[in-house]
Amino acid sequence: MHGFRDALADGLRRHRRKNPGGANEPVGLVIDGTTLRYAITPVLRDEFLRLCMNVTTVLCCRMTPLQKAAVVRLVSHGLDGVGGGGRPVTAAVGDGGNDVAMLLEASVGVGIFGNEGRQAVRASDYALPLFKHLRRLILVHGHWNYYRISMTANIFYFKNVAFVAVQTYQMFYDGFSGQSMFDSLLYTFYNLTFTSFAPFVFGVFEQHVSSKDLMHRPYLYRLMSLSANLRCWYILLWVVDGWWHGTVIYYVCHCILVGGMEFSDSLFFQSDTSYSAVDFNMFGNACYIFVVVTGTLRIVVMSRYLNLPIIIGLFVTGALNLVIMFIYQTFGGTSTYIYMNYVYLASCPAFWLCLPLVLVLTLLPDILWRISSDAWWDFQIALSGVKRIHEKRKRNAWEKFVTRTNSSS
């Protein structure tokens, strides 16, 4: 036991690096099941894990099923909290019944249809017919899925902040009375129907980088594996963007639709109605429509793959919203303040004057953001091509060195 510990310490001294796996020469560690039995004991497992993190590749061979699961558990629990993060995400790939324990222990299990039965496939999260499909599963679908889920989450932050910002500004003009700008059902419809289908379609079909680039440039996957889209500063950008949308929408409607609360009677061309009630509700409904429209167009601006399902989803969203608004304004009959409210609003010239102003002011920063984002992704794609050439040269140089060493010996 002491001799094995000395060997581990010597390996750490010789191969310790500041950046694990980032040295100029590849260094691998090969360990069999008999030796691994001692390495994963409570006395040595921390030193063994540090040694593993300071080499390029670790190859464990002739292991029992329990040892396979123990190695996954060692990495998952041993690196918990390292670098300020949480427990690392582990993946296991297996094709036989002896891999079931490992697949169940890992965060993500991938089963391969093999000649040893389908036990591994039944215990896995993903099933593949051939091992070669693993590359596409990780580099393409893994990249796309992370981007879709993370950006959909940011979209929900954005659209809800915009919705809240409009009501927050109204509190300063109604004496913090708690008076709502919208009818109670509109709060339910906002996330249930008005702004739900477009983010859903985006989260299912968006492809911000082509599969060809992702397959030939593994470096792009590393960008997503670092949780780039869920960092605090990036989420804060979406929150600020949502607040900007709410600010523009409220004050454009406030100044044009209701004349800064001073000349509203001259802007809503209605007769036999109470302006004190109709103005406020029409003002709130106008803000509501602009929040929904700009939120949907925000998705259009950020989408890099406007395929047929996304386009159909946007049209369905618009048509469904129009139908819901038309039906909603007839609830309760003529005695309610929402009766034909959207029809009256559509006949107001000031409403149509607000529309282009709101779209330009809210979406202009988003368009600039999109242009800078496209430039960043183009740079990363070009950089990944350079890295690929550099890695190929390093690999060729290492193969030549190994060949010369073997021939001389």
Side-chain angles (χ1 to χ4, degrees):
M1 183 72 72
H2 292 289
F4 188 76
R5 176 185 292 179
D6 294 338
L8 285 177
D10 182 64
L12 281 173
R13 284 193 299 269
R14 288 189 292 110
H15 300 301
R16 189 180 301 276
R17 302 185 181 93
K18 293 182 179 179
N19 297 318
N24 293 328
E25 79 286 353
V27 178
L29 172 65
V30 181
I31 183 171
D32 60 5
T34 303
T35 310
L36 185 66
R37 183 177 59 182
Y38 300 101
I40 60 177
T41 57
V43 179
L44 299 175
R45 60 188 177 192
D46 292 336
E47 296 180 8
F48 173 66
L49 182 60
R50 284 197 296 270
L51 176 61
C52 293
M53 295 303 298
N54 282 275
V55 298
T56 308
T57 305
V58 179
L59 177 61
C60 303
C61 58
R62 299 185 179 277
M63 303 165 60
T64 64
L66 292 180
Q67 285 179 328
K68 294 180 180 181
V71 170
V72 176
R73 190 182 307 111
L74 174 65
V75 175
S76 178
H77 293 270
L79 298 181
D80 189 6
V82 175
R87 181 170 297 179
V89 178
T90 55
V93 183
D95 63 348
N98 58 345
D99 299 319
V100 171
M102 175 183 64
L103 294 172
L104 295 176
E105 183 65 35
S107 304
V108 179
V110 181
I112 309 295
F113 288 96
N115 298 325
E116 303 180 21
R118 297 193 176 185
Q119 293 90 342
V121 173
R122 295 191 183 100
S124 63
D125 301 298
Y126 298 93
L128 299 177
L130 297 173
F131 187 82
K132 66 179 182 180
H133 296 154
L134 182 64
R135 178 183 177 90
R136 183 175 181 85
L137 175 67
I138 296 177
L139 297 183
V140 178
H141 295 287
H143 186 108
W144 280 347
N145 286 344
Y146 173 80
Y147 182 85
R148 292 165 179 170
I149 294 174
S150 60
M151 295 305 289
T152 302
N154 289 328
I155 290 173
F156 273 82
Y157 295 144
F158 156 80
K159 68 186 185 69
N160 285 291
V161 168
F163 189 55
V164 171
V166 172
Q167 302 171 78
T168 302
Y169 286 115
Q170 177 59 33
M171 291 193 302
F172 292 95
Y173 295 92
D174 60 17
F176 295 91
S177 63
Q179 176 67 37
S180 175
M181 295 179 63
F182 317 117
D183 189 71
S184 58
L185 281 179
L186 292 180
Y187 290 97
T188 303
F189 287 152
Y190 183 74
N191 280 315
L192 184 62
T193 58
F194 282 103
T195 61
S196 61
F197 194 65
F200 171 78
V201 175
F202 173 87
V204 173
F205 296 103
E206 172 64 9
Q207 299 178 15
H208 65 295
V209 181
S210 66
S211 59
K212 181 179 179 181
D213 287 332
L214 293 176
M215 283 290 290
H216 293 88
R217 292 172 170 84
Y219 169 75
L220 298 177
Y221 176 80
R222 187 177 183 183
L223 298 176
M224 292 293 99
S225 65
L226 299 176
S227 300
N229 291 343
L230 293 178
R231 294 177 180 175
C232 292
W233 66 268
Y234 192 74
I235 296 176
L236 184 61
L237 283 180
W238 281 92
V239 172
V240 172
D241 189 29
W243 196 268
W244 167 253
H245 276 236
T247 303
V248 170
I249 290 170
Y250 180 83
Y251 279 104
V252 168
C253 294
H254 178 82
C255 296
I256 296 179
L257 270 180
V258 296
M261 298 295 184
E262 295 179 5
F263 306 104
S264 58
D265 291 0
S266 63
L267 296 178
F268 289 109
F269 300 102
Q270 301 181 67
S271 59
D272 301 329
T273 55
S274 173
Y275 285 106
S276 60
V278 173
D279 278 3
F280 184 75
N281 288 283
M282 292 182 69
F283 169 60
N285 288 331
C287 292
Y288 190 90
I289 292 174
F290 290 145
V291 169
V292 173
V293 171
T294 57
T296 303
L297 292 179
R298 179 68 177 92
I299 299 176
V300 176
V301 170
M302 69 178 294
S303 178
R304 294 181 173 86
Y305 187 66
L306 288 175
N307 52 12
L308 185 61
I310 293 180
I311 295 175
I312 293 176
L314 295 175
F315 277 107
V316 169
T317 299
L320 181 63
N321 291 343
L322 290 176
V323 172
I324 292 176
M325 287 189 295
F326 181 80
I327 297 176
Y328 174 72
Q329 68 180 354
T330 60
F331 282 171
T334 58
S335 60
T336 60
Y337 60 85
I338 64 172
Y339 180 72
M340 303 304 289
N341 206 304
Y342 294 105
V343 175
Y344 294 145
L345 189 62
S347 64
C348 174
F351 172 79
W352 297 106
L353 176 62
C354 289
L355 182 60
L357 290 176
V358 167
L359 294 181
V360 170
L361 293 177
T362 55
L363 297 179
L364 182 59
D366 301 332
I367 294 174
L368 297 177
W369 186 351
R370 166 64 188 274
I371 294 174
S372 62
S373 178
D374 287 346
W376 185 85
W377 275 109
D378 291 339
F379 172 75
Q380 295 298 329
I381 292 174
L383 180 63
S384 63
V386 175
K387 287 180 176 291
R388 184 185 177 191
I389 295 174
H390 182 62
E391 291 294 333
K392 185 176 181 180
R393 290 176 178 175
K394 287 172 54 178
R395 185 166 57 252
N396 293 337
W398 176 253
E399 291 175 354
K400 291 180 181 179
F401 172 76
V402 173
T403 303
R404 288 197 304 267
T405 304
N406 293 335
S407 60
S408 62
S409 60

